[in-house]
Every structure is written in structure tokens, then in C-alpha cells.
Amino acid sequence: MNYKSILGSIVLLSAFLVAGPGAGVGQDRSLSLEDLQKKVVALEERVAGLEEKLQKLAVSIPQTFPNLKTLPEGWSRFEFNGQPFYVIPLNEKKSNPPAILR
């Protein structure tokens, strides 16, 4: 079952719920099966067009991480509770690690 058939089922279910009893008193909201199928086809075409636009807009973000074997000067790598973190100096002086890490 692909996403188009799932989308079609959701659209049909929504249409039936909206056109059900109590929805729009005094208005004829009954839709024929052919009308609903036409709407589903139109919505599937719209979804395909929007997905195509989305693919054109999508930007892939490269998963690049710094080379952890060589750190910039002054940086210090430490572990806390098994998680690595880095002390990065904010000025030109060499920073000392926090007391908890010494």
C-alpha cells in the first residue's frame, strides 16, 4: 500500500465525515462516488506536484564533523558521564578545564 492510496483513503474518509448527517443543515452535501474519485485524483496530482516542488527546494546538509584526532589550538577534549565535550577558549590565553574535570 503506497502513500497515494493511504492519502486517497484519508481524503475519502474526511469527505464522508464532512458530508455526514448534521453537516451543513439545509445544504445538499451528498457527493456521488464519481465526484469523490475525481477529487481524489485531483488531490493526488496536487500532492505529486507539491512533492516535486519540495524535492527542488530540499537542500542536503552534508554530515561533516570535525576531525577529532586534531583539535584546534587551545581546545581540550574531556568526557563527562561517557559523553565527550570540549573546552574552547574564548580568548587567546590557554584555558584551564573546569575543576570538576581535573
Side-chain angles (χ1 to χ4, degrees):
M1 195 172 199
N2 60 17
Y3 68 92
K4 287 185 179 181
S5 60
I6 293 172
L7 177 66
S9 300
I10 292 171
V11 169
L12 282 174
L13 179 63
S14 299
F16 285 126
L17 292 175
V18 169
V25 176
Q27 296 178 353
D28 182 23
R29 291 201 164 227
S30 61
L31 297 173
S32 69
L33 182 59
E34 291 175 1
D35 292 338
L36 291 174
Q37 287 174 338
K38 288 178 185 177
K39 282 188 173 189
V40 168
V41 169
L43 287 172
E44 286 176 346
E45 290 173 357
R46 182 175 177 208
V47 167
L50 291 173
E51 285 177 343
E52 189 176 310
K53 285 182 183 179
L54 181 64
Q55 287 178 352
K56 289 178 183 176
L57 292 175
V59 176
S60 62
I61 300 172
Q63 295 293 326
T64 57
F65 297 101
N67 183 359
L68 299 180
K69 293 179 183 174
T70 58
L71 295 174
E73 187 177 331
W75 286 32
S76 303
R77 181 181 192 276
F78 297 97
E79 276 194 25
F80 183 74
N81 289 337
Q83 296 294 319
F85 73 95
Y86 300 88
V87 174
I88 303 169
L90 298 177
N91 57 22
E92 294 182 16
K93 296 179 183 177
K94 186 169 176 107
S95 67
N96 293 324
I100 193 169
L101 299 174
R102 290 187 217 156

